Amino acid sequence: MKDYRTWLIESGKSENTVRSYLKVVSYFESWYESNFNESIEYKNIRPVDLRDWKQYLFSAQKKNGTPLTVRTINNYIESLKTYFRFLEEEDIIAHNPSINLKPQTTRIEYTPRWLGSKEKRSLLRMIEDPELESRNPWLYSRNRVIVYLSLHGGLRISEKVNLSVHDLSKGYISIREGKGQVAREIPMNKVLSNAVSLWLTERNKKNPATNYFLVSQKGGRLTTSGIYNLFNKLANKTGIDDLTPHTLRHTFAHDLIEKDTPITYVAALLGHSDLDTTRLYTSAKRDGLKNAVDKLSDE
């Protein structure tokens, strides 16, 4: 696993993706050993074993008892196929049994989740909290800039925690460690520029011993867990249950599309190497599809 982890990192995978891929391999091994009552030997794995595993995934459940989504199953399949590619490249197996293991296709891929105008207003009212600004301007400015980095810059959570103070200069944010090794520069609008400026003023008052842009209250680098904790609190306070950093990235992309921004510009700002990924923000929304069939009941 240590070699596989190194291989994934050298392939440009993010830390979150690496953890996810390793988890899937462990999940597959547990299933195999439980199903066949023997230790796994990858050189003995056959395509039929992988087909059985895929079928098992459709009957598997999450901890809350709900079945796995098709998207989750497809992520598992892609993760395991990646592991077999690694084994083949390292000459650990002579033949790759996962070549014909295909993801489950769906006729309709729904658009990502973004905030509606009322939800966004509710979030902004929570972020622009004058009481917190008066009581703790350091925490106020940090929470605010974390939200605006996604809402007005489209940054991923991993890109936020990796930002250095030197990456924000002359009205631009430089993403040097983007997903898939895609570097990009994001221009800051007035809202984001003001949020960044206010945070830097408060940040530098404590003179943290790190160049990371986002820091914890102890002065070290802010972690992804710290950001998720903030969003959990915001979700509870606003009533937006599925509020996450990625929800705001989706909102950034959706709002750009709604304002007739060329899709190539949106892709460049998001760091997408495939325009098909960006086109998800232009496809039919789940609510729109529901409204379409609901009209039939009015006839």
Side-chain angles (χ1 to χ4, degrees), residues 26-296:
S26 178
Y27 184 44
F28 172 73
E29 290 180 351
S30 296
W31 168 83
Y32 182 92
E33 292 175 358
S34 174
N35 196 53
F36 295 103
N37 293 316
E38 63 182 31
S39 298
I40 191 167
E41 289 285 347
Y42 280 98
K43 63 182 179 181
N44 295 329
I45 299 294
R46 299 292 180 262
V48 65
D49 300 327
L50 300 183
R51 289 197 296 271
D52 287 346
W53 180 66
K54 178 181 177 181
Q55 192 59 46
Y56 162 77
L57 292 177
F58 283 100
S59 63
Q61 295 181 341
K62 298 178 182 178
K63 290 182 179 179
N64 62 5
T66 59
L68 303 179
T69 65
V70 172
R71 182 176 182 180
T72 296
I73 291 172
N74 286 344
N75 286 339
Y76 282 10
I77 290 171
E78 178 55 36
S79 297
L80 195 63
K81 285 173 70 72
T82 300
Y83 185 56
F84 277 103
R85 285 198 296 271
F86 160 75
L87 294 176
E88 188 177 31
E89 284 188 19
E90 297 296 312
D91 293 325
I92 297 172
I93 59 175
H95 304 285
N96 187 343
S98 72
I99 290 177
N100 293 319
L101 181 64
K102 305 295 183 185
Q104 189 75 0
T105 57
T106 55
R107 290 187 177 275
I108 298 175
E109 187 165 2
Y110 294 110
T111 52
R113 166 72 163 108
W114 53 69
L115 298 185
S117 57
K118 290 184 178 179
E119 292 174 317
K120 190 161 62 172
R121 189 178 308 115
S122 176
L123 173 63
L124 294 180
R125 285 178 61 85
M126 194 62 59
I127 286 299
E128 301 288 350
D129 180 5
E131 182 180 339
L132 179 59
E133 181 180 16
S134 175
R135 186 176 72 252
N136 192 336
W138 185 95
L139 188 61
Y140 165 82
S141 62
R142 194 192 66 174
N143 291 353
R144 192 164 168 264
V145 80
I146 288 173
V147 168
Y148 284 140
L149 281 171
S150 287
L151 199 57
H152 286 268
L155 271 69
R156 301 178 177 91
I157 187 170
S158 59
E159 293 169 345
K160 291 180 187 180
V161 298
N162 286 327
L163 274 182
S164 161
V165 290
H166 305 297
D167 292 330
L168 298 96
S169 176
K170 299 179 180 179
Y172 282 83
I173 300 174
S174 177
I175 304 297
R176 295 177 290 116
E177 300 180 55
K179 185 176 180 180
Q181 297 181 321
V182 178
R184 68 191 190 279
E185 285 196 337
I186 303 168
M188 291 188 283
N189 60 20
K190 291 181 180 179
V191 173
L192 183 52
S193 291
N194 289 338
V196 167
S197 179
L198 179 61
W199 163 240
L200 284 175
T201 298
E202 294 299 328
R203 175 194 180 281
N204 293 338
K205 286 180 181 178
K206 290 191 174 184
N207 193 27
T210 176
N211 283 327
Y212 282 108
F213 177 68
L214 295 175
V215 295
S216 69
Q217 298 194 54
K218 294 181 179 179
R221 175 191 184 188
L222 183 65
T223 63
T224 56
S225 296
I227 293 180
Y228 278 122
N229 287 337
L230 167 62
F231 274 82
N232 287 336
K233 292 177 182 178
L234 291 174
N236 291 331
K237 290 179 179 179
T238 60
I240 307 172
D241 294 335
D242 53 355
L243 179 64
T244 67
H246 228 63
T247 306
L248 299 191
R249 176 173 157 85
H250 293 326
T251 304
F252 170 76
H254 170 260
D255 290 354
L256 288 172
I257 293 291
E258 286 288 290
K259 296 183 183 300
D260 297 322
T261 307
I263 194 169
T264 51
Y265 288 11
V266 180
L269 289 167
L270 292 173
H272 288 167
S273 56
D274 185 352
L275 282 181
D276 284 341
T277 304
T278 316
R279 288 192 181 95
L280 290 175
Y281 299 100
T282 67
S283 59
K285 195 177 180 182
R286 184 189 294 263
D287 291 344
L289 297 175
K290 184 179 185 304
N291 292 337
V293 295
D294 281 347
K295 289 178 181 179
L296 296 177

